[in-house]
Amino acid sequence: MKLWTRNDRELLALAVPTFATLITEPLLVLADTAFIGHVGSIPLAGLGLGSNVLGVVTGLCVFLAYSTTSTVARRLGTGDTAAAFDAGRDGMALGLVLGIVLAAVLVLGAPQIIGWYRPAPEVASQAVSYLRLVVLGLPFQLVVLASTGLLRGLQDARTPLYIAIGVNLTNIGLDALLIYGFGMGIRGSASATATAQACSAVVLFAVVARRAARGGASMVPSVRGMAEAARHGGWLVVRTAALWISLTATTVVATHLGSHVLAAHQVVNSLWSFISFALDALAIACQSLVARRLGASDVPGAVAVMVRALGWGCVQALLAGGLLVAARPLVIGLFTPDPQLAQLLMGALVVIAFLQPLASAVFVLDGVLIGAGDTRFLALAGLAVVAVHLPMLVLVDHYRAGLIWLWIAYGGFLMARGVTLLLRARSGRWVRVGV
């Protein structure tokens, strides 16, 4: 087997810049967590609940990126560039409409939604304040998802990279100004995040519009195309809903374990999201490359992409896990000066470090099947995996087992996902060529 192949070059050409793009949202959460962590544990716990709600909503809408990437890349593989661009444009319009509707619902229903977690009153107040402001950036965030999917499908991962860097710098600067300079606390954090997302959407739209004008394409969306984008994303919504049921249930159990455990869980969850999105860069590259090869009826090429991505993912995961274990004292100090929180975090970070190789394999195989359009299987398998995970969480909650066992239970969730995805990948039933 060759040590370096064309698939490696193409994987890394997409995965490396996609890494920076994917971690934009976790970096926003990490920056918020670091700033708010030094304000106090109650605002930090409130940030944990508010960001979980926002994460559920944006997670359910991630089909705007995933289905757009695979649809655009598959059409590109057939040689129909115009149809590929149209699919991305209609996905952006769908994202804007969905974002406006969902933001309105969340602003009005924030107290009730946060109440479902049954937090302490002071934590609930902080969470509602955060959520009502941060969702004002949701329409922009969903436009960013779809436009990024369009560019990835066209094999351009560099443009989203440059914009991601600008978004993070904007968010960090606004965090410092609004949280500390103007004393806005958690409201400043939410305002900074929403503003950064709006800036990102405006710049990405300008990039796409310029390319459309250069290629003679229209930026006027098609209602039929928007409906088609929604239909293609349906199974991905179910698949993502299953994943977020487990993540949200994990946060609910952390809430039951007390404000200190919830605050520590927010730090662990922020770091997990950051590392997971970094590992997911290979999965996104797989979505684009597998879809393009299957669109061109190149089945051996699609399988080769999967194999090489699994190898690269294993290397990346081992490095990430090792660095996390070694840097625990430094990492914890960035997020909290509270010794009780620091003690909770020391063991939990070891758990998520050891989960990295398993997570990497799961993400890569998930990306392969999304690129192949095998979303119905992913949705049904996801529901089955949730049925395995929830009883584990019930036991952790019943015995009040603590933060470490909470994340060990999440490891059981990853294991169940890994088994279902591996069996499907080995079966070959995910292979479908053409459009």
Side-chain angles (χ1 to χ4, degrees):
M1 180 181 292
K2 293 183 179 179
L3 293 179
W4 186 254
T5 67
R6 181 170 69 95
N7 286 324
D8 294 319
R9 289 192 298 273
E10 292 188 338
L11 275 169
L12 294 184
L14 286 173
V16 172
T18 297
F19 164 81
T21 307
L22 279 176
I23 63 174
T24 297
E25 184 62 27
L27 278 174
L28 295 180
V29 176
L30 280 173
D32 291 344
T33 301
F35 280 110
I36 296 300
H38 288 85
V39 174
S41 60
I42 296 300
L44 182 58
L47 176 66
L49 292 186
S51 60
N52 179 257
V53 173
L54 181 64
V56 170
V57 174
T58 55
L60 290 175
C61 294
V62 78
F63 75 90
L64 290 165
Y66 288 179
S67 65
T68 301
T69 296
S70 58
T71 301
V72 170
R74 188 177 281 260
R75 292 183 181 182
L76 185 67
T78 66
D80 193 347
T81 305
F85 185 87
D86 289 345
R89 177 204 62 204
D90 293 336
M92 291 170 64
L94 177 63
L96 178 62
V97 173
L98 277 177
I100 293 171
V101 173
L102 291 172
V105 171
L106 289 172
V107 167
L108 294 174
Q112 292 77 19
I113 294 169
I114 294 299
W116 294 341
Y117 291 81
R118 294 164 52 196
E122 61 273 19
V123 173
S125 175
Q126 294 285 318
V128 170
S129 295
Y130 176 82
L131 186 59
R132 279 182 161 164
L133 279 174
V134 79
V135 296
L136 297 180
L138 187 58
F140 303 105
Q141 189 174 6
L142 299 193
V143 170
V144 168
L145 283 176
S147 54
T148 300
L150 166 61
L151 294 173
R152 288 179 192 150
L154 294 174
Q155 316 296 292
D156 175 13
R158 291 184 178 273
T159 300
L161 162 63
Y162 303 141
I163 295 172
I165 293 172
V167 168
N168 280 296
L169 292 176
T170 301
N171 182 72
I172 292 171
L174 287 173
D175 264 339
L177 176 65
L178 298 178
I179 294 173
Y180 299 136
F182 288 94
M184 292 176 64
I186 200 168
R187 291 171 61 86
S189 172
S191 301
T193 299
T195 302
Q197 289 164 345
C199 293
S200 177
V202 169
V203 174
L204 274 170
F205 180 83
V207 169
V208 172
R210 187 173 67 248
R211 291 193 181 187
R214 193 164 54 226
S218 171
M219 283 300 292
V220 178
S222 160
V223 174
R224 182 178 178 181
M226 292 169 64
E228 188 73 6
R231 186 181 67 82
H232 284 167
W235 284 115
L236 279 176
V237 171
V238 176
R239 166 257 184 201
T240 307
L243 301 183
W244 275 101
I245 287 171
S246 284
L247 287 170
T248 302
T250 300
T251 300
V252 169
V253 173
T255 304
H256 295 170
L257 296 176
S259 296
H260 265 84
V261 172
L262 177 59
H265 171 71
Q266 166 62 12
V267 175
V268 177
N269 197 42
S270 297
L271 288 167
W272 173 262
S273 296
F274 175 79
I275 299 173
S276 294
F277 275 76
L279 296 177
D280 209 27
L282 276 172
I284 299 297
C286 284
Q287 288 178 25
S288 183
L289 293 176
V290 167
R292 196 182 80 195
R293 280 162 171 69
L294 292 180
S297 301
D298 181 10
V299 176
V303 173
V305 167
M306 176 178 67
V307 172
R308 301 302 289 193
L310 286 169
W312 280 109
C314 182
V315 172
Q316 184 183 16
L318 290 173
L319 288 173
L323 285 173
L324 181 59
V325 171
R328 280 179 301 161
L330 176 61
V331 170
I332 292 169
L334 291 175
F335 290 99
T336 179
D338 188 327
Q340 186 175 352
L341 289 185
Q343 185 176 6
L344 289 171
L345 290 169
M346 286 296 286
L349 294 187
V350 172
V351 173
I352 67 169
F354 274 95
L355 291 178
Q356 293 311 306
L358 175 60
S360 176
V362 166
F363 296 161
V364 166
L365 292 175
D366 191 62
V368 168
L369 297 187
I370 290 174
D374 197 21
T375 52
R376 180 177 181 272
F377 169 80
L378 289 172
L380 298 177
L383 294 174
V385 168
V386 169
V388 173
H389 184 219
L390 292 182
M392 300 180 192
L393 292 178
V394 170
L395 290 175
V396 173
D397 193 16
H398 178 74
Y399 290 105
R400 303 188 66 81
L403 189 64
I404 289 177
W405 280 103
L406 186 64
W407 279 92
I408 289 175
Y410 192 75
F413 166 75
L414 281 177
M415 180 64 72
R417 281 188 72 193
V419 169
T420 59
L421 292 171
L422 181 60
L423 291 176
R424 185 67 169 183
R426 288 176 60 87
S427 74
R429 294 174 62 186
W430 52 277
V431 175
R432 298 179 185 86
V433 297
V435 177

